[in-house]
RNA sequence: GAGGGUGUAGCUCAGUCGGCAGAGCAACGGCCUUUUAAGCCGUGGGUCCAGGGUUCGAGUCCCUGCACCCUCACCA
């Protein structure tokens, strides 16, 4: 403490001293000391690195005794990673270094790094040649190596050449003969045991979350593998991956509020895609008979643990198929990923254990409605009574207080199918915990779907529900341009104008050239990853979820 | 948009009834050649989210605002 006990530290000198005590300042001071040693604290290309996992695998073949340091060339490795633990016990330093495959202990002894052991020749053969690479191989002199080791901080990224051994306690250790600083970490990382737990900080500075919480990295690794898996399933079936516009002059393919933007040169308003559907169908018209896209969709709606304004949908179309083929693909992609990527058929999600063993139940919309809502969906009076009981009308009134045409509950005008769907959402969805297909939806809710041949009031559509969430949505696609024009023109009372399907003349014109009958499917990738990784918030599976600007 | 909760050191968290701002890790100085979240001795570090108010006195009570989380609604 500077100054007497009664004084607040506010003099210039105090402020400077406070600032100097800051950990960032400490680290910057070390940075300068490192530079003074002639070492570039930000490294350069570092070639021929063996991953920690591969080093462990190699060590498994060597039968190294506790206390032993291997002599042979086969025990010499180059490794790199971030220092996550650092234990300095005098003229011996142990650090735990993390790379993408896991942790490995590096051991540094003053004697060894000072040249007590000859530098292995194995790396000379693969020594880089270019000018840039020559710089990368410019190791500090041996006496500098030890000083450098003493100046390391938690969070620094280091590279090392060394020989494998085991400590007395048997811990596999890379005994370092040459140490390279690859990047100095100027900010103290989170606490080594708890990591970063503050959720806001984890989302705002995801890089800190990732570097300090292996579990978080694991989620994004799984996400990538699930996507790879889906891609592989589709490729095997002859699908090709395409890209469709995010900037669209007319939004369509779903019922959602769009984001609006503007192109300056064309002086033209554009919408960010709410769905790639109408473009992928144009591909079908053009003869790309099996297409898929991992499509970023943007919907200007609320944010919740299950909704992010931008999200990723796998959408695909298969010519000459129908929605039964799409059910098979759902089971193959999601059920297969559970089995082959996660390695389990039962996965915990919140308090529920979900069973992904296929096949999944295929239930008729009318049947599940009758079972869980307790009324016949075609009995308008009964549905209306049920809706009143569930408070559907009150919710509508609350949502649209400005509507002049609504004065009382009974005067809320909702078309029957809209009311049915609101009752469905309120009663059925949460009951569907294990993967369940719900087939044959009320036709008026499905402007892009072929009608059921036996029932003009039903559409050949299914949604896949898991844990009460809509995970997949699929149709036997409507390819009759006249019917398509009619359904896009029809307005339903009870759905807001802004989210209504919009007439897209160019799309209908495309249908007039002839679109093959097809099955189409959308799978919510973020939600699928949530379920398969046990992440109960969508923000935990999106690297950089949308946040308000910081206060 | 409505309701509930949270915000204290770089990180993880205590802080009782309104009475000197605390711990562990991290940092700094010192010791240590086999550590495992190393250990031991010593030291420094605070806009208690922001702004008002009540009070002799506010991290604590009240009001307003901000950010985040949860529930509901829209939505996938």
């Amino acid at each position: 403490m500077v100054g007497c006990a009664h004084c607040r530290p506010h003099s210039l000198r105090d402020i400077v001293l406070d600032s100097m005590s800051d950990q960032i300042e400490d680290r910057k001071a070390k940075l300068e000391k490192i530079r003074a040693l002639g070492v570039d604290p930000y490294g350069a290309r570092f070639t021929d690195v063996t991953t920690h996992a591969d080093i462990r695998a190699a060590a498994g073949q060597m039968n190294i005794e506790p206390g032993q340091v291997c002599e042979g060339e086969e025990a010499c490795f180059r490794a790199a990673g971030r220092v996550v633990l650092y234990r300095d016990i005098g003229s011996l330093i142990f650090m735990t270094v993390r790379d993408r495959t896991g942790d490995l202990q590096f051991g540094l002894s003053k004697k060894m790094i000072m040249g007590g052991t000859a530098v292995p020749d194995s790396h000379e053969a693969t020594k880089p040649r270019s000018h840039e690479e020559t710089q990368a191989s410019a190791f500090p002199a041996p006496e500098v190596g030890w000083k450098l080791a003493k100046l390391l901080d938690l969070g620094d990224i280091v590279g090392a050449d060394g020989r494998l051994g085991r400590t007395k306690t048997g811990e596999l250790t890379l005994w370092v003969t040459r140490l390279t600083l690859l990047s100095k970490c100027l900010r103290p990382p989170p606490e080594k045991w708890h990591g970063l737990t503050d959720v806001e900080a984890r989302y705002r500075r995801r890089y800190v979350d990732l570097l300090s919480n292996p579990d978080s990295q694991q989620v994004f690794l799984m996400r990538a593998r699930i996507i790879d898996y889906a891609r592989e399933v589709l490729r095997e079936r002859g699908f090709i991956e395409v890209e469709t516009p995010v900037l669209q002059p007319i939004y369509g393919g779903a019922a959602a509020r769009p984001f609006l933007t503007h192109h300056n040169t064309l002086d033209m308003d554009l919408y960010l895609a709410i769905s790639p559907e109408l473009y992928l169908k144009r591909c079908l018209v053009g003869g790309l008979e099996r297409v898929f896209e991992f499509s970023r969709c943007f919907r200007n709606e609320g944010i919740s643990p299950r909704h992010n304004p931008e999200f990723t949908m796998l959408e695909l179309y298969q010519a000459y198929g129908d929605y039964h083929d799409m059910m098979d693909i759902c089971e193959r992609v999601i059920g297969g990923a559970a089995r082959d990527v996660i390695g389990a058929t039962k996965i915990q999600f919140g308090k529920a254990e979900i069973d992904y063993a296929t096949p999944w139940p295929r239930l008729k919309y009318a049947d599940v409605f009758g079972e869980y809502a307790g009324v016949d969906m075609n009995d308008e009076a009964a549905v209306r009574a049920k809706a009143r009981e569930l408070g559907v009308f009150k919710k509508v009134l609350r949502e649209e207080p400005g509507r002049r045409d609504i004065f009382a509950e009974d005067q809320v005008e909702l078309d029957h199918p809209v009311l049915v769907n609101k009752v469905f959402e309120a009663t059925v969805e949460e009951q569907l915990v294990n993967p369940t297909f719900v087939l044959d939806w009320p036709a008026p809710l499905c402007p892009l779907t072929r009608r059921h041949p036996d029932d003009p009031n039903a559409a050949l559509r299914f949604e896949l529900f898991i844990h009460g969430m809509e995970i997949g949505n699929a149709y036997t696609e409507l390819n009759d341009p006249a019917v398509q024009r009619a359904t896009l023109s029809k307005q339903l009372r009870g759905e807001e104008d802004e989210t209504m399907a919009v007439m897209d003349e160019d799309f209908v014109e495309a249908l007039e050239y002839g679109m093959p009958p097809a099955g189409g499917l959308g799978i919510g990738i973020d939600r699928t990853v949530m379920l398969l990784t046990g992440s109960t918030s969508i923000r935990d599976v999106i690297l950089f979820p949308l946040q308000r600007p910081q206060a």
Side-chain angles (χ1 to χ4, degrees):
Chain A
M1 180 65 89
V2 177
C4 72
H6 305 288
C7 299
R8 305 293 293 175
H10 49 51
S11 74
L12 180 59
R13 182 162 167 264
D14 289 344
I15 290 166
V16 168
L17 286 171
D18 282 352
S19 153
M20 284 305 286
S21 72
D22 185 73
Q23 295 192 41
I24 295 172
E25 295 305 321
D26 290 337
R27 283 165 179 254
K28 284 181 179 168
K30 285 186 185 173
L31 182 91
E32 291 313 317
K33 284 184 187 173
I34 289 165
R35 285 209 167 104
L37 292 173
V39 173
D40 177 0
Y42 293 106
R45 190 175 190 219
F46 198 66
T47 55
D48 305 309
V49 173
T50 306
T51 64
H52 294 170
D54 286 348
I55 290 173
R56 284 191 180 282
Q61 306 297 313
M62 286 187 218
N63 196 23
I64 309 167
E65 299 294 324
Q68 180 188 350
V69 180
C70 298
E71 291 298 325
E73 193 176 303
E74 72 284 353
C76 291
F77 286 97
R78 170 176 276 192
R82 192 182 287 272
V83 177
V84 293
L85 294 172
Y86 182 91
R87 300 179 285 278
D88 179 351
I89 50 175
S91 43
L92 203 57
I93 296 169
F94 291 102
M95 36 191 209
T96 303
V97 178
R98 180 169 298 162
D99 75 2
R100 66 183 185 281
T101 67
D103 293 353
L104 183 67
Q105 174 164 277
F106 287 13
L108 297 98
S109 85
K110 191 173 183 177
K111 272 183 190 168
M112 197 180 288
I113 212 164
M114 289 286 278
T117 306
V119 170
D121 291 327
S122 59
H123 301 299
E124 299 301 318
T126 54
K127 197 167 181 175
R129 287 161 209 89
S130 77
H131 171 68
E132 173 186 84
E133 290 164 345
T134 306
Q135 283 188 328
S137 67
F139 284 91
E143 65 276 12
V144 169
W146 184 248
K147 289 180 184 169
L148 176 61
K150 286 284 188 179
L151 287 168
L152 289 179
D153 283 310
L154 288 173
D156 287 354
I157 298 172
V158 298
D161 292 294
R163 46 185 71 250
L164 281 182
R166 288 192 188 277
T167 62
K168 283 177 186 172
T169 54
E171 178 80 20
L172 184 66
T173 300
L174 185 71
W175 287 101
V176 176
T177 51
R178 292 204 292 194
L179 177 69
T180 305
L181 180 58
L182 295 172
S183 189
K184 184 69 191 161
C185 176
L186 291 178
R187 291 177 183 267
E191 203 221 15
K192 57 192 176 187
W193 189 243
H194 298 95
L196 187 67
T197 65
D198 178 73
V199 285
E200 184 177 358
R202 288 183 53 224
Y203 299 148
R204 286 195 193 280
R205 293 190 294 174
R206 179 68 85 185
Y207 45 91
V208 180
D209 175 41
L210 290 168
L211 74 87
S212 62
N213 299 337
D215 289 351
S216 178
Q217 253 192 41
Q218 188 65 17
V219 166
F220 293 101
L221 178 67
M222 286 301 117
R223 179 177 177 125
R225 289 195 178 152
I226 290 163
I227 288 171
D228 285 347
Y229 185 86
R231 196 170 261 136
E232 203 50 46
V233 167
L234 294 172
R235 284 210 181 116
E236 280 170 9
R237 294 180 176 220
F239 285 82
I240 62 166
E241 186 165 6
V242 299
E243 292 164 279
T244 63
V246 163
L247 298 176
Q248 303 182 356
I250 299 173
Y251 60 96
R257 288 189 189 82
F259 285 92
L260 182 64
T261 187
H262 186 79
H263 188 277
N264 289 340
T265 305
L266 298 181
D267 189 22
M268 172 186 180
D269 284 342
L270 289 163
Y271 300 99
L272 271 57
I274 59 171
S275 159
E277 173 153 357
L278 303 188
Y279 286 96
L280 290 171
K281 283 179 170 172
R282 287 171 168 98
C283 294
L284 287 182
V285 172
L288 304 178
E289 293 178 342
R290 296 188 175 198
V291 291
F292 73 95
E293 178 172 20
F294 285 97
S295 171
R296 194 69 68 87
C297 299
F298 304 84
R299 299 189 182 175
N300 207 337
E301 311 272 1
I303 297 174
S304 85
R306 278 162 287 284
H307 300 88
N308 196 62
E310 57 182 300
F311 65 101
T312 302
M313 190 150 68
L314 167 58
E315 191 144 327
L316 60 98
Y317 290 84
Q318 177 179 335
Y320 319 123
D322 70 3
Y323 72 163
H324 291 99
D325 299 296
M326 301 300 106
M327 284 184 251
D328 294 340
I329 289 176
C330 280
E331 289 177 344
R332 185 73 183 79
V333 167
I334 299 172
R339 185 187 64 232
D340 297 339
V341 178
I342 308 299
T345 52
K346 293 182 178 177
I347 297 172
Q348 196 73 24
F349 188 79
K351 290 173 183 169
E353 186 185 64
I354 296 168
D355 188 350
Y356 292 91
T358 56
W360 298 334
R362 302 179 179 198
L363 308 177
K364 295 261 189 193
Y365 187 101
D367 294 343
V368 287
F369 188 94
E371 180 177 350
Y372 293 113
V375 296
D376 181 345
M377 64 177 276
N378 294 315
D379 183 339
E380 297 204 9
V383 169
R384 201 169 177 82
K386 187 69 185 177
R388 188 174 294 112
E389 177 191 325
L390 293 167
V392 165
F393 296 107
K394 283 178 186 162
K395 284 174 187 168
V396 172
L397 284 168
R398 211 185 310 141
E399 286 156 23
E400 302 180 62
R403 276 181 62 168
R404 288 186 204 154
D405 56 328
I406 300 173
F407 297 100
E409 276 189 35
D410 285 355
Q411 287 173 292
V412 176
E413 293 190 21
L414 297 176
D415 277 349
H416 181 64
V418 174
L419 206 52
V420 167
N421 204 43
K422 287 190 184 295
V423 171
F424 181 91
E425 287 167 1
T427 56
V428 179
E429 291 189 358
E430 63 181 7
Q431 304 293 331
L432 306 176
V433 175
N434 282 327
T436 307
F437 297 108
V438 177
L439 283 63
D440 301 343
W441 286 55
L445 300 173
C446 314
L448 301 165
T449 313
R450 180 186 290 258
R451 273 43 194 149
H452 199 290
D454 302 332
D455 179 3
N457 293 319
L460 296 170
R461 169 185 183 176
F462 75 78
E463 288 196 0
L464 169 64
F465 290 93
I466 306 176
H467 199 264
M469 285 193 288
E470 184 189 335
I471 299 301
N473 182 22
Y475 313 144
T476 296
E477 301 296 343
L478 175 58
N479 65 342
D480 179 332
V483 176
Q484 182 67 88
R485 179 172 279 114
T487 60
L488 285 181
S489 304
K490 187 166 168 53
Q491 295 282 318
L492 283 182
R493 282 171 297 174
E495 292 205 336
E496 292 174 74
D497 292 347
E498 204 180 357
T499 64
M500 276 298 299
V502 177
M503 174 58 68
D504 184 339
E505 281 294 344
D506 181 78
F507 168 64
V508 177
E509 191 175 314
L511 294 188
E512 288 172 347
Y513 280 91
M515 186 182 91
L521 165 66
I523 293 176
I525 290 297
D526 313 275
R527 289 180 172 184
T528 300
V529 174
M530 284 171 66
L531 287 163
L532 296 183
T533 60
S535 308
T536 52
S537 171
I538 197 168
R539 296 178 210 97
D540 293 329
V541 304
I542 291 175
L543 275 169
F544 303 101
L546 185 66
Q547 300 281 110
R548 277 195 179 86
Q550 216 155 3

